[in-house]
Amino acid sequence: MQQNNSQDARTYPLRMPPGWNPPVPAWMSVFDEGVHSVSMSVIGCQHNEDQDVAGFLSDLKQAATGADIVDFARSSDADGRQQTVGILYWLNPEDSARWAGSDRFGAFWSKHAEAGEHGVFREMVNIPLERSETLFSGPEHDHGMSQKRVSLEGPVDRHMYWGGMRDRIPLSADDALEAGGPIRVVEEDGERISVEAHENLCIIRSGQDWTLTEGVQREEYLEQIEPVLDAGMRFLRDNGAEVGCYSCRYMRELDDGFADAERSFGLAYFRTMADLEAWAEHHPTHLAIFNKFLEIAPKYGPALQLRLWHEVSVLPAGRQVAEYVRCSPGTGFLGGIAMQAAEPA
């Protein structure tokens, strides 16, 4: 989707400074013109560190046959429990809906929801592309939903300034993308709770791939960039309510054999894009990440070996649902329920 930099016909003007020239290049993904919405499902289990989840992963991999993209990853909760997930994408929301209602997925879900060995959850969202944006530090990167893109736009000028993320979302030209209503409990039955997201819940999946780094660049990432990134993700995980973040998983990607890959990402749910923007622009944990990157990346230019990317989406209400069985109160969308309950009446 090509973007017009003109301020004409925009209700909300671009925040891009006049004559802006980004200090480092970036590219955006372009999808087939027939793709208007992408469905994403985060299917996971929450378990103790010593529990074996190989069976869960194998069953999910088999059940996920038919998804356009399947990524596996793991993370740690503040209480020491683990989350191991598959992130599934479909370029056709109808295919996703059929899969969610299929006997194959139903059998998988029933088996693990009823087993009682660990908590399980499913977070299923539909992302209109007019409400989404992607960004990559190099033209060859193809992470997340962009593993199924057809081409690239760029280098783009709408990045590396505060507000660039919003400027890259097409709908932001005429929509303030403000929150509408609370996250709502749809059904609660014993250890199972189903919830539905409110209007304009903001999701960010932001990743790092250091597979190709070597020498000094590898040391700089592992010893200088990653520690401040980890600190920022831990803040959002443990204290996210302070900045409107319902939950944050700092995840290590897994390869085809379910071993750790040299890729990671943060998957966070914010009340609104404005909350995400405020954390990014003003909070010391994100400013430390941003400033460390600016300290290192520009000196390499196109020779930067570290691959960075993200996808940000602001969801419409409806068909944004999640279900949790035996999960901690702050897991995923449940963090929004907890945050709302703590707010003054």
Side-chain angles (χ1 to χ4, degrees), residues 29-33 146 148-152:
S29 291
V30 177
F31 294 88
D32 186 273
E33 61 181 11
S146 294
K148 289 294 182 177
R149 69 188 176 204
V150 294
S151 62
L152 284 164

Side-chain angles (χ1 to χ4, degrees), residues 44-47 77 81-83 118-121 326-328 331:
C45 65
Q46 192 173 53
H47 55 94
D77 292 339
R81 298 181 79 192
Q82 309 289 305
Q83 293 188 43
H118 43 63
V120 293
F121 57 88
R326 298 181 302 277
C327 290
S328 302
T331 307

Side-chain angles (χ1 to χ4, degrees), residues 1-318:
M1 183 180 294
Q2 297 291 323
Q3 296 198 2
N4 183 353
N5 284 342
S6 172
Q7 297 281 17
D8 296 343
R10 290 183 65 97
T11 304
Y12 299 98
L14 295 171
R15 286 189 63 185
M16 184 173 64
W20 176 247
N21 184 27
V24 294
W27 288 258
M28 296 170 58
S29 291
V30 177
F31 294 88
D32 186 273
E33 61 181 11
V35 177
H36 304 289
S37 183
V38 173
S39 290
M40 181 179 81
S41 293
V42 182
I43 313 295
C45 65
Q46 192 173 53
H47 55 94
N48 296 327
E49 189 172 2
D50 59 355
Q51 283 183 293
D52 184 2
V53 294
F56 174 88
L57 286 169
S58 297
D59 289 348
L60 178 55
K61 188 173 186 178
Q62 184 175 7
T65 302
D68 292 308
I69 299 165
V70 182
D71 294 334
F72 292 99
R74 62 171 182 83
S75 67
S76 297
D77 292 339
D79 62 4
R81 298 181 79 192
Q82 309 289 305
Q83 293 188 43
T84 302
V85 310
I87 302 181
L88 288 56
Y89 294 90
W90 288 263
L91 301 187
N92 182 340
E94 293 181 359
D95 291 340
S96 172
R98 280 191 290 269
W99 178 80
S102 68
D103 291 342
R104 181 173 55 196
F105 177 68
F108 160 81
W109 181 253
S110 295
K111 174 182 177 179
H112 291 278
E114 295 170 4
E117 297 175 357
H118 43 63
V120 293
F121 57 88
R122 49 179 170 175
E123 298 159 356
M124 298 179 165
V125 302
N126 289 281
I127 304 166
L129 291 187
E130 68 171 359
R131 288 172 162 268
S132 184
E133 62 93 7
T134 62
L135 199 69
F136 295 82
S137 61
E140 70 279 8
H141 309 358
D142 60 353
H143 300 75
M145 70 170 73
S146 294
Q147 293 171 75
K148 289 294 182 177
R149 69 188 176 204
V150 294
S151 62
L152 284 164
E153 177 184 350
V156 297
D157 52 8
R158 294 188 192 183
H159 87 107
M160 291 299 292
Y161 62 89
W162 304 123
M165 179 170 53
R166 182 181 294 263
D167 284 352
R168 292 188 297 272
I169 293 180
L171 188 63
S172 71
D174 300 299
D175 193 318
L177 303 175
E178 296 175 345
I183 287 185
R184 186 171 63 91
V185 175
V186 177
E187 184 179 358
E188 192 166 3
D189 181 14
E191 296 179 307
R192 183 176 67 87
I193 181 170
S194 299
V195 298
E196 187 174 69
H198 56 67
E199 182 78 6
N200 292 327
L201 174 79
C202 182
I203 295 180
I204 178 169
R205 184 180 175 193
S206 181
Q208 306 73 224
D209 182 343
W210 63 100
T211 308
L212 299 181
T213 61
E214 55 187 9
V216 172
Q217 291 202 43
R218 189 176 186 83
E219 292 176 3
E220 287 175 332
Y221 173 70
L222 294 175
E223 297 176 9
Q224 298 184 47
I225 297 176
E226 200 284 330
V228 295
L229 175 63
D230 178 68
M233 297 298 97
R234 286 178 181 271
F235 169 78
L236 290 179
R237 184 194 68 183
D238 300 344
N239 305 104
E242 296 178 16
V243 293
C245 180
Y246 293 155
S247 74
C248 179
R249 302 173 176 118
Y250 183 34
M251 310 209 79
R252 185 70 174 262
E253 284 200 46
L254 305 178
D255 62 22
D256 291 340
F258 304 132
D260 285 352
E262 293 190 326
R263 301 185 300 271
S264 66
F265 61 88
L267 176 63
Y269 300 154
F270 281 81
R271 186 178 65 91
T272 66
M273 169 162 274
D275 292 305
L276 171 56
E277 290 173 313
W279 174 71
E281 185 172 354
H282 302 295
H283 200 274
T285 56
H286 183 266
L287 291 176
I289 299 168
F290 184 77
N291 291 331
K292 180 57 66 174
F293 175 71
L294 277 185
E295 176 187 322
I296 292 173
K299 67 184 180 183
Y300 294 113
L304 180 69
Q305 296 166 350
L306 178 65
R307 296 181 172 188
L308 302 171
W309 64 279
H310 78 225
E311 54 194 39
V312 176
S313 306
V314 183
L315 306 180

